[in-house]
Amino acid sequence: MTLPENWPVDFIAYNHLTFLPLGRKNKSIRSLSQEDIVLFQTFLYGSHRGGFPVAIDKNEDVYPHFWKPTSFLWKEYNKNRGIPIYHDEFYSQDFTVLTKNELENYLESIMKDYMFCARIHDSSKEEWIQHINKCFFKHPLISLYHRNADVIEAIEQSKKSPLLFIMKNPEQIAFWRNRIEIIMRPFRSLSYTAFERGFSDTEDTVLTVHGENEIIRLTSENRGLAVTYDVTNDAISLDDEYNVVLAAKRLATTQRQFEEIIDENEEVIQKLLVFFKWKSLLKHYEVHIKAIQDKLCSLTTYQLNQRQFLQENDPFLSFIQKVLQVKTPNANLEVGSIQWFSQWDFPDVTLLQETNKFTCCMDPNEIEKKLTEISAKIENELHKQRQDLLSTPLKIGQTTFDSNQMLQLLTLIDALKNTETQQIYVQILEGVSTNSIRQKELDKIPAFGLLNSVKRKRIVTYLQELQNYQLLKKEKKGFSLTPKGEAIRRLFEEESRRI
């Protein structure tokens, strides 16, 4: 940044000071060159010359506080306006009350700030942020984290694995878990995002210059990250520093100790391997299993109650559905390593005990046979449910509806959707021929008068019952069919066409 050439004002009595306009620019202000302090002048004045900046107002009265150099760092000012008055951009010391010696010492300390800003101004703020971010990833702790990210994540995951509760040597496991709180402190000192991304892709990064100590502070509140960059040594320091050599040794020891625990639990490992084989086998039947799951979903469409069918009645189906919910490790990981162990995710570890029950079913031909039988059972149940809906009248409140009446009722909901109020629905069902209903020809709907023998308050209750059956849902205005209601409406419609 350089100040406009026409800004500096010279007073012969103060030939080592340059006065700059404070507030809106006064046209009477004059311009003058000052001594050749190249770096200092380049920072403030670019190609023209000037001295130490002192603020004056429109009346050419001196403002009794010096500017902080950060007021000029990486900033551009309009040539036709003065420098805005921001009190936090001035030092708090009133220099007019200082003695000569005090003023000299004061200026000497301030010049450190100015010269520091002069040295760093050639690179933009964005370039400094990028450079400091690169230094962040070279920090010993951050570097250690990235070399061992998979182990660190595996330790954190293994610590809370439900598999630990079915393994031998619980005292040893408890000791290991307690030690984790100490071992992981360095790697919990920053957030995951801070370790992974540093100051990349964050818009809240704040850069603060401290010239006296020749450091730059970089902070990101969103990431809870703050670092101090030493310009002289080109290195960063974290607010919380740790013995990285010790942290690396502890990390390696923690990994080794847990893998020894895994080695001592061969029985659990073998059960996991059997489970892994089940997952591999079932991959070959994904299409078949998906078709069965889709049919199971269809079962609930034609159920007006919440009873379960094959999940309870067929243990094998229940077993393979649970198997599919389990997350297994990457096949490339070494069996028994902490990374391998940490990637097992069981909704319920008691499922491991069930693998023995179905060992006889692990033959591919047997799996195919079982799945085919299950699929046929679901088809039969689905057909039965459809027939039951068509042949068995549905009782809502005190009224019984046959399939034709249900078709009329659901078609009414589908036809009007959310265009009419609940009151209009009720009037149509009880057969009230108002002027508005006749004008809209709603009295010609097949469902008109369907419940003419039922009291109005009962009709409202019936509409609520249909919501309880999940056939329709209340809208801001009127009702609409749910997917379940629409499927049942189509079933009744197809039956009416067939007849």
Side-chain angles (χ1 to χ4, degrees), residues 232-249:
T232 304
N233 297 314
D234 190 30
I236 68 120
S237 60
L238 306 174
D239 285 356
D240 295 319
E241 292 287 357
Y242 293 87
N243 185 326
V244 176
V245 174
L246 181 60
K249 289 180 179 178

Side-chain angles (χ1 to χ4, degrees), residues 1 43 69-76 117 120-129 207-209 216:
M1 173 244 132
F43 164 49
T70 49
S71 305
F72 310 106
L73 184 63
W74 304 314
K75 293 181 181 178
E76 295 292 337
C117 289
I120 68 174
H121 90 282
D122 280 343
S123 296
S124 69
K125 178 181 178 180
E126 290 70 25
E127 288 172 334
W128 276 112
I129 291 174
L207 186 152
T208 310
V209 174
I216 298 174

Side-chain angles (χ1 to χ4, degrees), residues 123-359:
S123 296
S124 69
K125 178 181 178 180
E126 290 70 25
E127 288 172 334
W128 276 112
I129 291 174
Q130 291 176 9
H131 178 73
I132 295 171
N133 196 42
K134 289 180 180 178
C135 292
F136 170 78
F137 288 106
K138 293 177 183 177
H139 185 278
L141 179 63
I142 310 304
S143 180
L144 175 65
Y145 168 88
H146 282 277
R147 291 196 306 272
N148 297 275
D150 60 333
V151 175
I152 293 168
E153 182 182 5
I155 290 173
E156 294 284 23
Q157 293 298 322
S158 297
K159 181 180 74 75
K160 56 188 178 184
S161 172
L163 291 171
L164 295 179
F165 299 101
I166 63 170
M167 297 173 74
K168 295 187 299 184
N169 301 324
E171 296 84 3
Q172 186 179 359
I173 292 172
F175 175 79
W176 181 83
R177 293 181 73 192
N178 288 334
R179 286 286 295 166
I180 293 301
E181 301 307 311
I182 298 174
I183 305 304
M184 299 305 292
R185 278 178 192 165
F187 310 108
R188 293 174 179 171
S189 61
L190 299 176
S191 67
Y192 170 81
T193 308
F195 271 113
E196 289 291 328
R197 303 294 301 159
F199 292 95
S200 303
D201 307 325
T202 180
E203 297 179 354
D204 74 328
T205 300
V206 176
L207 186 152
T208 310
V209 174
H210 299 273
E212 185 176 353
N213 300 315
E214 299 192 341
I215 60 174
I216 298 174
R217 284 279 291 174
L218 216 57
T219 59
S220 169
E221 185 176 348
N222 288 342
R223 295 194 177 163
L225 181 57
V227 301
T228 300
Y229 173 70
D230 185 326
V231 176
T232 304
N233 297 314
D234 190 30
I236 68 120
S237 60
L238 306 174
D239 285 356
D240 295 319
E241 292 287 357
Y242 293 87
N243 185 326
V244 176
V245 174
L246 181 60
K249 289 180 179 178
R250 285 176 168 176
L251 192 62
T253 301
T254 302
Q255 178 182 1
R256 175 180 54 78
Q257 287 175 340
F258 190 73
E259 290 178 349
E260 288 173 358
I261 293 173
I262 296 174
D263 289 342
E264 293 170 1
N265 283 271
E266 182 64 25
E267 183 180 349
V268 174
I269 299 302
Q270 290 305 314
K271 287 181 178 179
L272 290 173
L273 291 175
V274 171
F275 212 90
F276 196 86
K277 186 177 180 181
W278 266 113
K279 290 283 286 189
S280 300
L281 282 170
L282 293 178
K283 281 184 179 180
H284 299 291
Y285 302 94
E286 285 180 346
V287 175
H288 203 160
I289 294 170
K290 176 66 166 59
I292 288 175
Q293 290 175 328
D294 290 343
K295 290 175 183 178
L296 283 172
C297 289
S298 297
L299 282 179
T300 61
T301 299
Y302 300 102
Q303 287 177 352
L304 295 182
N305 54 45
Q306 299 301 314
R307 73 185 183 90
Q308 298 295 309
F309 173 58
L310 285 171
Q311 292 94 324
E312 296 176 355
N313 297 333
D314 194 300
F316 183 71
L317 176 62
S318 177
F319 172 72
I320 63 173
Q321 287 181 322
K322 291 176 182 176
V323 169
L324 292 171
Q325 293 174 12
V326 174
K327 294 180 182 178
T328 56
N330 187 311
N332 296 326
L333 291 173
E334 181 185 353
V335 174
S337 66
I338 192 170
Q339 294 94 326
W340 179 84
F341 181 89
S342 68
Q343 289 188 16
W344 285 96
D345 187 4
F346 281 83
D348 184 358
V349 291
T350 59
L351 184 60
L352 276 177
Q353 310 305 324
E354 295 186 33
T355 53
N356 294 334
K357 297 180 184 178
F358 300 99
T359 304

Side-chain angles (χ1 to χ4, degrees), residues 15 93 105-106 110 112 124 138 143 145 154 168 193 230 235 241 267 312 325 363 365 368 377 409 423 441 466 483 487:
N15 60 344
Q93 176 64 55
N105 292 333
Y106 182 49
I110 288 177
K112 290 181 180 179
S124 69
K138 293 177 183 177
S143 180
Y145 168 88
K168 295 187 299 184
T193 308
D230 185 326
E241 292 287 357
E267 183 180 349
E312 296 176 355
Q325 293 174 12
D363 180 85
N365 293 331
E368 183 71 37
K377 287 181 181 179
L409 184 55
Q423 182 182 1
E441 297 186 344
L466 289 173

Side-chain angles (χ1 to χ4, degrees), residues 47 52 66 68 70 84 135 209 213 422 469:
S47 58
F52 192 86
F66 291 129
K68 295 177 181 177
T70 49
C135 292
V209 174
N213 300 315
Q422 177 175 288
Y469 280 125

Side-chain angles (χ1 to χ4, degrees), residues 16-122:
H16 291 290
L17 298 178
T18 293
F19 298 90
L20 300 177
L22 180 65
R24 188 168 182 83
K25 182 173 179 266
N26 188 315
K27 294 181 180 179
S28 66
I29 291 177
R30 301 167 301 281
S31 175
L32 188 68
S33 296
Q34 289 291 333
E35 64 181 2
D36 183 18
I37 307 175
V38 178
L39 185 59
F40 177 82
Q41 291 185 336
T42 303
F43 164 49
L44 286 178
Y45 308 108
S47 58
H48 57 284
R49 297 171 62 190
F52 192 86
V54 177
I56 57 174
D57 61 19
K58 292 180 181 180
N59 299 319
E60 296 188 343
D61 292 329
V62 173
Y63 187 70
H65 299 275
F66 291 129
W67 268 297
K68 295 177 181 177
T70 49
S71 305
F72 310 106
L73 184 63
W74 304 314
K75 293 181 181 178
E76 295 292 337
Y77 292 109
N78 190 307
K79 288 185 177 182
N80 298 318
R81 299 182 66 87
I83 303 173
I85 304 173
Y86 297 124
H87 294 294
D88 62 340
E89 293 192 347
F90 289 88
Y91 291 104
S92 60
Q93 176 64 55
D94 181 344
F95 61 79
T96 63
V97 300
L98 299 178
T99 64
K100 179 181 178 182
N101 289 336
E102 289 173 339
L103 182 59
E104 286 179 355
N105 292 333
Y106 182 49
L107 283 171
E108 184 179 351
S109 66
I110 288 177
M111 282 304 297
K112 290 181 180 179
D113 289 343
Y114 272 88
M115 295 311 296
F116 179 70
C117 289
R119 287 200 297 275
I120 68 174
H121 90 282
D122 280 343

